[in-house]
């Protein structure tokens, strides 16, 4: 299984609830534990400004490029602007684009890659899954960034695949926060099915309607959460997606500082397994991104993200084992 990651995701944003060090920590833990090998890791190239313009307005992009956000826009983004920050997030968008191309078997033409072209020609019986140790920037709108999300990586990746012939995709957004930017970008059109399950009484205040929104009460817990997920996934898959993007946010966790759904680590792992198994059984390519995670102890966030990728690896290996 290929994993997309760049050490450049770790940036200095001062004292902040968003731990960008989680990215190198997840990467290191996966290699230490033997879940992945160094040769499985692909360094993405930054998304170009043209790639970003498939989703974002020219006005917003020039403000980001030149560092001319207004005070209000900077406050809405909740990240300190710097050229380094813009670079890091452009690479992160490139990472999701790259992971989506790997999962769907599209040749990543201009991207830095250790892949041989032949490896991209996957057999149809193979479970096509690619993980991105990053991404899930679902709060970014076309004309502004917000909630730690400067650019909408999933939307850019969907537009990239659409430019290569993809017609239908589904986004399974299980971050604790509603995927407002993504829902706004794709609207309720059936071709790009946006599913968000989140804590209803939490940021963002305005939740534009997606294809399927499940707003859960505070403190929902594992069993309620998993029950709702089990009911929702068949609805998502009924949209007949050619690719599924899974935002495996770690912030529904019970000790998260920005989330209040009170899921246990075991519950989150079951969540991951449910999504991965559903998509695998349907024979649809899967792209997994980390999204949020703000546990009081960063190690908890790291462990939850590692669990997700371990579940993906397990499913990929199991599938290989059953291939005849
Ligand atoms: Zn979140």
């Amino acid at each position: 299984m290929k994993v997309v990651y760049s050490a450049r995701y770790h940036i200095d944003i001062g004292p902040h609830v968003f731990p960008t060090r989680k990215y190198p920590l997840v990467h290191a833990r996966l290699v230490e534990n033997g879940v992945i090998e160094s040769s499985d890791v692909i360094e993405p190239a930054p998304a170009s400004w043209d790639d970003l313009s498939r989703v974002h307005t020219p006005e917003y992009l020039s403000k980001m490029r030149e560092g001319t956000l207004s005070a209000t826009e900077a406050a809405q983004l909740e990240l300190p602007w710097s050229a380094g920050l813009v670079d890091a997030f452009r690479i992160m968008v490139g990472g999701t684009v790259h992971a989506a191309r790997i999962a769907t078997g599209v040749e990543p033409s201009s991207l830095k890659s250790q892949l041989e072209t032949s490896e991209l020609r996957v057999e149809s019986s193979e479970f096509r899954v690619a993980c991105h140790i990053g991404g899930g920037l679902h709060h970014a709108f076309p004309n502004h960034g917000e909630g730690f999300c400067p650019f909408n990586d999933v939307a850019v990746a969907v537009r990239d695949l659409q430019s290569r012939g993809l017609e239908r995709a589904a986004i399974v957004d299980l971050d604790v926060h509603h995927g407002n930017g993504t829902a706004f970008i794709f609207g309720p059109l059936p071709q790009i099915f946006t599913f968000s399950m989140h804590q209803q009484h939490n940021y963002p205040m305005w939740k534009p309607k997606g294809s399927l929104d499940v707003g859960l009460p505070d403190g929902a817990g594992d069993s309620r959460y998993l029950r709702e997920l089990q009911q929702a996934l068949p609805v998502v898959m009924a949209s007949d997606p050619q690719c599924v993007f899974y935002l495996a946010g770690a912030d529904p966790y019970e000790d998260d500082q920005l989330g209040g759904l009170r899921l246990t680590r075991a519950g989150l792992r079951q969540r991951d397994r449910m999504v991965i198994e559903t998509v695998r059984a349907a024979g649809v390519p899967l792209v997994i991104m980390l999204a949020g995670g703000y546990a009081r102890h960063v190690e908890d966030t790291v462990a939850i993200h590692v669990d997700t990728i371990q579940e993906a690896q397990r499913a990929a290996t199991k599938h290989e084992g059953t291939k005849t």
Side-chain angles (χ1 to χ4, degrees), residues 138-139 175-177 251 292-294:
H138 58 167
H139 299 311
D175 189 276
V176 81
H177 304 103
D251 48 11
Y294 315 94

Side-chain angles (χ1 to χ4, degrees), residues 4-315:
V4 178
Y5 165 72
S6 171
R8 294 180 64 187
Y9 297 163
H10 183 200
I11 45 171
D12 182 9
I13 51 173
H16 201 289
V17 69
F18 174 23
T20 66
R21 69 185 187 283
K22 79 177 185 178
Y23 302 114
L25 289 171
V26 169
H27 170 259
R29 188 65 41 79
L30 287 166
V31 174
E32 275 163 30
N33 295 357
V35 180
I36 59 169
E37 291 174 23
S38 300
S39 58
D40 296 326
V41 180
I42 297 163
E43 166 93 22
S48 69
W49 293 99
D50 277 351
D51 294 335
L52 296 173
S53 73
R54 289 193 166 123
V55 169
H56 297 285
T57 63
E59 295 76 18
Y60 174 58
L61 291 179
S62 79
K63 286 179 192 175
M64 281 304 283
R65 191 165 33 196
E66 287 148 31
T68 53
L69 294 177
S70 69
T72 313
E73 288 166 329
Q76 203 170 19
L77 179 58
E78 297 186 75
L79 288 173
W81 185 94
S82 70
L85 176 129
V86 173
D87 286 348
F89 280 98
R90 279 177 56 207
I91 300 168
M92 196 177 276
V93 176
T96 297
V97 169
H98 199 140
R101 289 179 183 181
I102 293 168
T104 53
V106 171
E107 190 176 350
S109 48
S110 60
L111 297 173
K112 268 192 281 175
S113 168
Q114 300 164 10
L115 278 177
E116 295 296 323
T117 309
S118 60
E119 285 182 71
L120 290 165
R121 293 197 203 97
V122 287
E123 291 171 35
S124 58
S125 62
E126 196 175 329
F127 177 40
R128 298 174 176 186
V129 56
C131 292
H132 182 197
I133 306 176
L137 309 170
H138 58 167
H139 299 311
F141 284 73
N143 66 352
H144 72 274
E146 59 173 78
F148 322 150
C149 301
F151 308 118
N152 198 307
D153 60 317
V154 177
V156 173
V158 167
R159 295 287 186 229
D160 177 72
L161 293 183
Q162 283 177 319
S163 76
R164 292 156 193 275
L166 175 118
E167 290 171 355
R168 296 177 311 282
I171 297 161
V172 173
D173 187 341
L174 299 185
D175 189 276
V176 81
H177 304 103
H178 177 258
N180 55 344
T182 313
F184 180 86
I185 290 164
F186 294 113
L189 294 175
Q191 290 86 349
I192 308 300
F193 192 100
T194 54
F195 164 48
S196 176
M197 189 159 85
H198 47 269
Q199 185 184 5
Q200 186 62 27
H201 299 295
N202 198 334
Y203 169 88
M205 285 287 283
W206 180 51
K207 300 175 176 65
K209 197 171 155 37
S211 311
L212 177 61
D213 292 300
V214 178
L216 294 172
D218 299 354
D222 290 348
S223 56
R224 167 81 188 266
Y225 189 96
L226 294 169
R227 203 167 58 238
E228 297 276 358
L229 182 60
Q230 198 151 31
Q231 286 170 5
L233 287 175
V235 182
V236 177
M237 298 314 287
S239 69
D240 194 21
Q242 295 162 302
C243 180
V244 172
F245 291 83
Y246 173 33
L247 284 74
D251 48 11
Y253 178 54
E254 56 192 347
D255 202 27
D256 195 275
Q257 299 172 86
L258 302 183
L261 283 182
R262 306 202 63 79
L263 266 68
T264 64
R265 189 176 156 194
L268 285 161
R269 194 175 188 127
Q270 254 182 289
R271 168 199 75 164
D272 294 337
R273 186 171 292 191
M274 205 182 272
V275 173
I276 293 166
E277 282 303 319
T278 301
V279 177
R280 186 186 67 80
V284 177
L286 175 63
V287 187
I288 301 178
M289 291 135 294
L290 301 189
Y294 315 94
R296 223 169 302 279
H297 305 288
V298 72
E299 281 304 322
D300 288 347
T301 295
V302 170
I304 293 163
H305 288 319
V306 166
D307 286 348
T308 303
I309 294 171
Q310 207 159 16
E311 282 299 317
Q313 179 67 283
R314 194 193 59 86

